[in-house]
Amino acid sequence: MNSNRETLSCELQQKRAISLRAVATILAFIGSADVFAQARRPLQIMVDLTDAPRKLLRAQLTIPVEPGPLTLVYPQWIPGEHGPTGPVDNFAGIAFSANEQPIPWQRDNVNMFAFHLIIPAGVRTLEAKVDFLATGPPSGLSEGASTSANLAILSWNEFVLYPSGSAAADVIFEPSVRLPEGWKFGTALTRASAGDNVIRFEPVRLEMLVDSPVLAGKFFKEVPLAADVTPKHFLDVAADGPEDLNISADELDHFSNLVREAGALFKSRHYNSYHFLLTLSDNVAHLGLEHHQSSDDRVDATTYLDDDLMLLAGDLLPHEFTHSWNGKYRRPAGLATTNYQQPMKGNLLWVYEGLTQYLGDVLAARSGIWTPAQYKSYLAASAAEMDHRPGRTWRDLEDTAVAAQTLLEETTPWDNWRRSVDYYAEGELIWLEVDTIIRNRSEGKRSLNDFCAQFLGRGGNTPPEVVPYTFEELVKALNQVETYDWAAFFHERLTSNSPHAPLGGIAGGGYRMEYNDTTNSYIRAEESSGRGLNAWYSLGIFVADNAVSDVLVGSPAYNAGLGPGMKIVAVNGRGETDELLRQAIRDAKGSGAPVELIVQNANFFKVVKIDYHDGVKYPHLVREEKKPVVIDDIIKPLAKHATVAALE
Ligand SMILES: [Zn+2]
C-alpha cells in the first residue's frame, strides 16, 4: 500500500494501517468536515495545454466540499527538489464558483500557499479555474521554463489545490489533459480514454499525480526499451524540432542496457512500468527530476548529436532511474512527508543523492553510456573539484545536506567557499569508498551491489510505495553485508573540516589523483560546451566570455586580487582569448615572469600579476600498480547486454 506513514516511528508503522486510517478519519471529521467528505469523492483536474506555446496554461478543478469554512492549499515542498519551491508566484487567474455563483477567496495572511473560503449552505461541489504562467527562466528547477513552441512538460503540482491537512495518499484525483492539435504525449499515468485531443487518465492518489508529469509535443516519439524485460520501459522523447529526435541505435541499446543493469543491481523493480520523459530543447530549464515510475529529463536540443554534450549528459538517465529505488521507494524518513505543506529534512541527502550519484555513474559505465575511460575522467574531475573546496574548512558535508533548501540553485561564484550541493559529488566519493571497503575486506566476495539488492531492492517487485528509513537502519543493513564500524565511518566524513576531500575510495579502488598538462576529456567537454576555460587547478579561475566567472579561495589568482565578474581585457599585454590565457600559463612555467592581466571591474581598470609557474593542470586517475583494480571491477557489466539479449 502507498505509505505516507513516514512521520510516525517504525514501530508505530508496524502497529498501524487500520488504527492510522481510523485516527486520520476522526481527525479529519473533527477538524474539518470537508476533508472527511472529499476523502470519499475524487477531485477532478483538467489541464489545458493548448496555449503552452505562449506560456499560458489553464486548469479547471472540481472539488467535493461541505458547507462551512474551507482551506485549500497549493503544494509548497516539491518532492525531489528538497525545498519549498512550489511556484505560487506564477499561480494566477484563481476563481472559485458553485452552482455558477462566484465564491470569494482570501489568501492566508501568513501562509502564501493557503486559500480560505466559506462554502455556502447546500453546496457540495466547488469549481475552480486556475492558470499557471509558465514564464520561468530556462534555468533552475521544475518551476523554470517548461514549454516551447512545440512541446510542454506538465508538472501537476503547478495546478493542484487540495484541502488543508489532507495526506497526499488519501486524496484521489481524476486527471485529464487537453493537448494542442496534433501533439502526442508520454506519462506514467494510465490512459482511461481519449478523444478530441483530450486524454482522460485513471484516478490516482495525489502523491502519484504529482509524481507523474506529462511530456507532450509536436515532435514526439516513444521507443520501447529492453523488450526482454518486464515491467515495460519506454523512452518518450519530445524535441524542439524533428531533426533533434534522432538518437542513434547504439545509444538506444545503451539505454536498454541501463534497464537490464538496474535489474541486475537491485534484483527488483518498484513500478508498474517506467517512462524516461526526455526533453531535447534549448528553450526549457535543463534538469533531471526523479519520479517513481518516470523521470523528467531535460537537456540541450542537440545532446544526442554532439559527442561532448552526450558525455556531459551521460549520467542523467541512470541517475534519475536509480532514484526510483533510492529516493522514491526507499526514502529518508525526513524526506518522506505526509503532504506538500510539511517541511522536509535533508540531513540524509548524502544517501538520497550521494548514493544515487555513485550508482547512476556506475550504471552509466556498466550500460555503455560511458566508456570506462569516460567514467574515470568524470570521476577525476568530480573528485578534484571536491578536493579544491576551501569552504569545507568551515562547513562540513552534513551541513550542505541539512541546508539543501538554501543551496539548490544554479552554480554561483564563490561556491568553493560557500560550498554547494556537495552531498552529490562528495557523497559519491564516500559511497565509492564504502564499495571498495566491502570489496577489499571480503576479497571480492561481496560488494555494495549486495547492499543495493537488500536495502534498495528488498527482494521482489512491488507497485510504487514508499519505505522510509533512518540512519540507524542504513548502518544496520550495511553491517549485514560487511561488518564494519559504518556509523563511525560516516560520522567522521560527514563532520570533517579537513581541507581535503575523502579520496579513500580512489586509493582503495587502485588509483591515485594526479594533476598534469594532459587534458581531462570530461573537463574538455565542459570547456567546449559553455563552462569556459578551466584554469582551476593552475591559476585558480574559470573564465567564460572573457570574464572571470569564479575564483578559487587561496589560489594564485585569489592571492593576486581577482574576483568573480571581473572582465579580462588583456593577457600579457594582448587582447584576451582563452587560448592566449592558456598559452600564458604554459609560458610562465619555470620562468620568473608572472601572468599579467589587465582587468576591468565596472568602469575601473587594474593590472593583476599572478605569480604562478607550474603550467596547465588537469586532474586524472592514475593506476597504482601494486593495488588491485577495484574501480575497473565495479564498472564491469552485471547483465547480459543488448546484442547478447537480441540473439537469444
Ligand atoms: Zn538526484
Side-chain angles (χ1 to χ4, degrees):
M1 109 181 169
N2 271 7
S3 75
N4 259 309
R5 314 177 294 272
E6 38 288 324
T7 50
L8 304 174
S9 73
C10 290
E11 280 163 59
L12 264 178
Q13 280 179 45
Q14 275 149 13
K15 286 183 187 171
R16 68 351 171 316
I18 297 168
S19 59
L20 180 68
R21 176 64 60 145
V23 169
T25 305
I26 292 164
L27 284 175
F29 186 71
I30 295 169
S32 164
D34 46 76
V35 174
F36 179 64
Q38 71 77 30
R40 293 175 300 170
R41 292 196 284 153
L43 289 76
Q44 293 169 347
I45 182 167
M46 150 74 86
V47 174
D48 186 343
L49 293 180
T50 51
D51 268 343
R54 55 173 174 160
K55 304 184 186 302
L56 183 56
L57 313 180
R58 296 195 169 90
Q60 276 184 278
L61 291 97
T62 304
I63 306 169
V65 292
E66 293 288 305
L70 171 68
T71 300
L72 296 171
V73 288
Y74 182 75
Q76 179 175 10
W77 289 76
I78 306 307
E81 300 189 350
H82 320 309
T85 52
V88 73
D89 49 335
N90 281 327
F91 189 55
I94 305 162
F96 295 100
S97 65
N99 301 328
E100 299 184 356
Q101 297 298 313
I103 294 186
W105 58 273
Q106 192 167 32
R107 192 187 301 264
D108 190 86
N109 263 331
V110 174
N111 179 0
M112 297 297 108
F113 295 77
F115 301 86
H116 301 299
L117 299 87
I118 303 292
I119 305 301
V123 168
R124 299 289 308 277
T125 301
L126 178 70
E127 305 287 342
K129 286 187 176 179
V130 299
D131 298 336
F132 184 73
L133 313 178
T135 53
S139 61
L141 304 169
S142 66
E143 85 287 358
S146 302
T147 68
S148 78
N150 296 317
L151 60 84
I153 303 127
L154 159 54
S155 301
W156 296 93
N157 63 281
E158 291 168 352
F159 302 90
V160 298
L161 289 165
Y162 65 101
S164 176
S166 307
D170 290 342
V171 180
I172 307 294
F173 270 89
E174 293 176 350
S176 55
V177 60
R178 181 186 296 278
L179 299 180
E181 184 75 30
W183 284 28
K184 297 180 186 135
F185 74 96
T187 180
L189 293 171
T190 305
R191 182 197 298 225
S193 66
D196 295 337
N197 296 321
V198 174
I199 298 99
R200 298 185 192 286
F201 300 104
E202 295 288 349
V204 286
R205 298 168 185 272
L206 173 58
E207 62 180 358
M208 195 45 66
L209 181 70
V210 166
D211 204 39
S212 303
V214 178
L215 171 62
K218 181 176 180 181
F219 304 111
F220 181 95
K221 70 176 177 184
E222 182 169 270
V223 183
L225 297 176
D228 48 305
V229 175
T230 301
K232 295 303 168 196
H233 298 73
F234 303 92
L235 180 69
D236 293 317
V237 194
D240 283 339
E243 65 282 3
D244 301 321
L245 283 175
N246 294 323
I247 300 177
S248 72
D250 277 355
E251 194 66 354
L252 292 175
D253 280 348
H254 296 152
F255 294 155
S256 285
N257 290 341
L258 170 62
V259 169
R260 298 184 185 100
E261 286 295 340
L265 175 60
F266 300 114
K267 300 192 189 327
S268 71
R269 300 180 192 269
H270 304 287
Y271 42 80
N272 298 316
S273 65
Y274 191 92
H275 291 255
F276 295 94
L277 304 176
L278 178 60
T279 306
L280 302 171
S281 171
D282 296 334
N283 299 300
V284 303
H286 292 155
L287 56 92
L289 185 57
E290 65 274 21
H291 300 287
H292 229 121
Q293 307 197 94
S294 63
S295 50
D296 176 358
D297 308 302
R298 315 183 192 179
V299 291
D300 290 287
T302 56
T303 294
Y304 295 98
L305 307 172
D306 178 314
D307 287 345
D308 287 336
L309 291 177
M310 207 149 63
L311 170 58
L312 298 179
D315 64 335
L316 178 63
L317 268 56
H319 178 106
E320 304 309 335
F321 192 35
T322 298
H323 269 316
S324 181
W325 291 264
N326 186 41
K328 287 295 169 179
Y329 175 58
R330 297 309 312 269
R331 195 176 307 172
L335 291 172
T337 48
T338 303
N339 60 36
Y340 309 110
Q341 317 316 120
Q342 186 184 343
M344 296 176 183
K345 294 174 189 154
N347 56 307
L348 288 181
L349 277 168
W350 56 274
V351 190
Y352 183 120
E353 293 295 359
L355 177 56
T356 299
Q357 190 69 30
Y358 175 64
L359 295 175
D361 293 335
V362 166
L363 286 171
R366 286 182 186 167
S367 59
I369 294 171
W370 278 345
T371 64
Q374 287 175 326
Y375 172 84
K376 288 178 214 169
S377 293
Y378 162 81
L379 187 59
S382 181
E385 196 161 332
M386 288 301 104
D387 206 31
H388 290 75
R389 215 64 167 159
R392 50 192 315 120
T393 58
W394 74 266
R395 179 174 218 166
D396 64 31
L397 181 66
E398 188 164 41
D399 187 61
T400 70
V402 169
Q405 58 183 285
T406 71
L407 296 170
L408 267 167
E409 295 299 325
E410 298 286 283
T411 299
T412 51
W414 295 130
D415 261 0
N416 67 96
W417 183 241
R418 173 185 24 240
R419 305 196 76 175
S420 181
V421 288
D422 292 5
Y423 49 85
Y424 283 82
E426 193 162 323
E428 176 173 35
L429 293 174
I430 291 173
W431 285 102
L432 171 64
E433 192 172 5
V434 171
D435 203 352
T436 58
I437 287 172
I438 298 173
R439 286 168 189 261
N440 289 331
R441 284 171 63 92
S442 70
E443 296 180 334
K445 293 188 192 69
R446 291 181 296 280
S447 72
L448 196 68
N449 297 346
D450 301 299
F451 167 80
C452 290
Q454 290 172 26
F455 189 70
L456 302 176
R458 297 179 90 229
N461 293 2
T462 70
E465 59 183 23
V466 182
V467 183
Y469 63 84
T470 62
F471 175 78
E472 290 71 25
E473 289 164 332
L474 174 84
V475 165
K476 187 176 167 193
L478 274 169
N479 270 306
Q480 284 167 354
V481 174
E482 186 66 38
T483 306
Y484 192 68
D485 193 349
W486 294 113
F489 169 90
F490 288 125
H491 184 72
E492 200 281 320
R493 282 151 188 78
L494 289 167
T495 59
S496 168
N497 284 122
S498 160
H500 288 291
L503 300 178
I506 289 172
Y511 287 82
R512 64 184 153 79
M513 293 288 292
E514 189 175 288
Y515 295 80
N516 57 41
D517 59 5
T518 305
T519 305
N520 172 306
S521 64
Y522 191 88
I523 289 177
R524 190 191 53 71
E526 286 182 323
E527 288 183 324
S528 64
S529 304
R531 192 173 182 184
L533 173 69
N534 180 331
W536 203 240
Y537 307 108
S538 50
L539 300 184
I541 50 173
F542 280 104
V543 179
D545 300 328
N546 291 347
V548 176
S549 49
D550 206 359
V551 178
L552 177 61
V553 170
S555 68
Y558 176 86
N559 293 335
L562 283 182
M566 291 180 185
K567 189 168 168 16
I568 300 178
V569 179
V571 179
N572 291 342
R574 293 181 63 185
E576 203 277 336
T577 68
D578 287 0
E579 200 39 54
L580 271 180
L581 183 55
R582 207 178 263 119
Q583 190 56 45
I585 298 169
R586 289 193 196 103
D587 292 345
K589 186 173 183 179
S591 88
V595 175
E596 188 177 294
L597 307 179
I598 299 173
V599 298
Q600 180 182 1
N601 191 356
N603 290 330
F604 297 87
F605 295 78
K606 68 174 178 179
V607 173
V608 172
K609 295 181 178 178
I610 307 175
D611 196 19
Y612 172 77
H613 307 283
D614 283 338
V616 174
K617 287 194 175 180
Y618 295 102
H620 300 275
L621 294 190
V622 176
R623 271 285 288 129
E624 287 275 34
E625 290 302 335
K626 289 180 184 157
K627 290 188 176 176
V629 283
V630 178
I631 286 178
D632 298 64
D633 288 341
I634 287 173
I635 59 177
K636 279 181 188 153
L638 301 178
K640 286 182 183 173
H641 278 188
T643 46
V644 179
L647 289 171
E648 288 179 352

